[in-house]
Amino acid sequence: LIIDEAHCISQWGHDFRRSYLDINTFIEKLEKKPVIGAFTATATEKVMEDIKNTFNISDESTFKENVDRENLYISVERDVKKEDYLINYLRENRDKAGIVYVGPRKEGDKLYEKINHLGYKVGIYHAGLDDKTRNQMQEKFKNEEIDIMVATNAFGMGINKTNIRFVIHYNMPKNMEAYYQEAGRSGRDGEDGECILLFSSQDIMLQKFLIDKSTENPERKSNELNKLQAMVDYCHTPNCLRAYILNYFGDHSNISCQNCSNCQDNSEVS
């Protein structure tokens, strides 16, 4: 029995789903107990412990790969004019496949219209569209009928496109797990890819608002706010961005990767 996106079992994960709590009930009803494999690409050490305890997976049967993706250039751009930055980037990277992740749907619709008006082959994907439209957009992107997908975090599961050259986060995600899972869709063919996050202080207020709406459980809300703070700290750190990500996921590192915007920044810090 294979359990994908196993981090969803943990209330401390970034995408906790109550339906995952029913998996053990299902397993107990089976006449023959299956061998279980639980997989996830983004889990902190605490979430890993939850997965192991829930499904009775021993330490000897736990395998953790290094989360580093050396072929990805990682960048945080603070307080830039986001639309100008994006349009300039697309102009310099015309005909390359990429995803532009946005927060609000309205932001996505606005960007889609702008990019489409400029003559790019672009699609739009968010939960406000009907199933048929979303499926058509995803197929066109996979089949290279469109180069750029403007999307909310609803776009993600089941993407099997290896030649995505860039992922731009137009708005800051609410946690590191969501960010790295989405950014990691760049360069899956092993060739160079770029992961660019456009940060502004308004993003913090938006994510706090969404967290406040999403749960009334005080403990879970506190956990979500702590994850958000880790994301904000990432956006502000003057140190190696790759090392920050590796440390967050338990691959403790003091590297200076020379392949992120901070390591390549030659300006002096006052």
Side-chain angles (χ1 to χ4, degrees):
L1 177 65
I2 301 299
I3 302 163
D4 198 14
E5 307 294 350
H7 60 268
C8 296
I9 195 69
S10 173
Q11 66 172 322
W12 309 115
H14 70 288
D15 194 16
F16 174 59
R17 302 185 188 188
R18 292 196 174 277
S19 57
Y20 268 65
L21 299 178
D22 296 328
I23 294 175
N24 269 345
T25 303
F26 166 74
I27 293 172
E28 289 169 3
K29 292 179 180 178
L30 299 175
E31 292 183 15
K32 184 179 179 181
K33 295 298 182 284
V35 176
I36 296 173
F39 295 86
T40 178
T42 45
T44 60
E45 292 175 335
K46 191 171 185 178
V47 171
M48 283 181 62
E49 286 301 314
D50 273 0
I51 295 170
K52 288 159 59 178
N53 293 335
T54 300
F55 299 118
N56 295 316
I57 299 172
S58 66
D59 290 340
E60 294 75 20
S61 298
T62 302
F63 303 93
K64 185 174 186 292
E65 294 291 329
N66 190 316
V67 299
D68 192 9
R69 297 276 305 285
E70 294 182 358
N71 62 313
L72 300 182
Y73 173 77
I74 304 170
S75 174
V76 174
E77 302 294 335
R78 289 179 284 271
D79 296 317
V80 297
K81 292 183 178 180
K82 293 186 178 185
E83 187 174 299
D84 291 346
Y85 182 98
L86 177 62
I87 297 307
N88 288 334
Y89 183 90
L90 295 179
R91 185 184 302 117
E92 294 172 1
N93 293 273
R94 184 174 284 275
D95 299 325
K96 291 182 180 179
I99 304 172
V100 180
Y101 277 108
V102 296
R105 296 176 194 173
K106 288 183 179 179
E107 188 97 70
D109 289 332
K110 175 187 170 186
L111 282 180
Y112 167 73
E113 293 294 339
K114 178 75 173 180
I115 296 168
N116 188 48
H117 180 72
L118 292 173
Y120 293 92
K121 294 185 291 183
V122 60
I124 178 72
Y125 192 108
H126 57 63
L129 303 172
D130 59 78
D131 289 344
K132 182 180 179 181
T133 301
R134 289 201 303 269
N135 289 335
Q136 287 176 342
M137 288 292 180
Q138 182 159 325
E139 287 303 307
K140 285 183 178 181
F141 186 58
K142 287 167 63 176
N143 295 330
E144 302 187 0
E145 296 175 49
I146 59 178
D147 296 323
I148 304 161
M149 183 68 82
V150 177
T152 63
N153 59 9
F155 184 66
M157 294 290 189
I159 296 175
N160 187 24
K161 184 175 173 65
T162 62
N163 65 336
I164 295 172
R165 298 272 65 89
F166 64 87
V167 172
I168 296 176
H169 280 86
Y170 200 79
N171 304 103
M172 180 191 69
K174 66 179 180 179
N175 52 57
M176 287 298 302
E177 290 96 329
Y179 168 71
Y180 201 50
Q181 194 169 62
E182 291 165 357
R185 297 189 173 110
S186 178
R188 288 190 172 179
D189 54 6
E191 300 298 320
D192 290 346
E194 288 193 84
C195 309
I196 302 169
L197 195 164
L198 307 182
F199 172 77
S200 72
S201 57
Q202 291 177 329
D203 294 335
I204 304 173
M205 301 306 297
L206 170 64
Q207 293 300 348
K208 283 184 176 179
F209 171 76
L210 294 175
I211 289 170
D212 193 55
K213 281 184 62 179
S214 66
T215 180
E216 294 181 359
N217 183 300
E219 192 175 19
R220 179 147 179 80
K221 184 175 290 187
S222 176
N223 179 58
E224 292 294 312
L225 289 172
N226 287 337
K227 285 179 174 292
L228 175 60
Q229 186 58 55
M231 189 74 237
V232 174
D233 291 345
Y234 168 80
C235 292
H236 283 295
T237 181
N239 302 320
C240 175
L241 296 174
R242 180 170 271 100
Y244 188 103
I245 293 170
L246 296 182
N247 286 325
Y248 183 86
F249 288 110
D251 291 342
H252 301 294
S253 172
N254 293 314
I255 65 169
S256 178
C257 72
Q258 301 307 312
N259 198 29
C260 75
S261 56
N262 283 1
C263 285
Q264 292 188 4
D265 184 4
N266 295 320
S267 61
E268 293 186 8
V269 178
S270 58

